[in-house]
Amino acid sequence: SVSAIDSISHTLEEVNGATSSIAAAVEEQTVTLADISQNLTVLAQGASKFKENIGQVTGSADRLVEQAR
């Protein structure tokens, strides 16, 4: 009976260790996903600004062509 209780106790400790490891991995993944999300937001903002700048360059080029005529 004592042996069975010791075995159950050992198994519960192993499960607890595995659960802690899984929780830590999930937390790391959550942080990583938050970083990726933030980076994608910054990238999208940069792409939007790039598009705006290209539009301005195109407009300037069009005006120069018109002035040259």
Side-chain angles (χ1 to χ4, degrees):
S1 182
V2 171
S3 176
I5 292 173
D6 286 344
S7 178
I8 292 170
S9 178
H10 178 72
T11 301
L12 288 174
E13 288 173 6
E14 288 180 347
V15 169
N16 187 40
T19 301
S20 295
S21 295
I22 291 168
V26 168
E27 185 175 343
E28 285 180 28
Q29 288 180 345
T30 299
V31 169
T32 300
L33 288 174
D35 288 344
I36 290 170
S37 177
Q38 182 179 6
N39 289 339
L40 288 173
T41 298
V42 170
L43 178 63
Q45 291 169 345
S48 178
K49 187 66 176 173
F50 179 76
K51 180 183 172 188
E52 181 183 322
N53 290 341
I54 291 297
Q56 290 173 356
V57 169
T58 301
S60 294
D62 289 345
R63 284 189 295 280
L64 285 174
V65 168
E66 287 299 318
Q67 289 175 359
R69 289 185 182 164

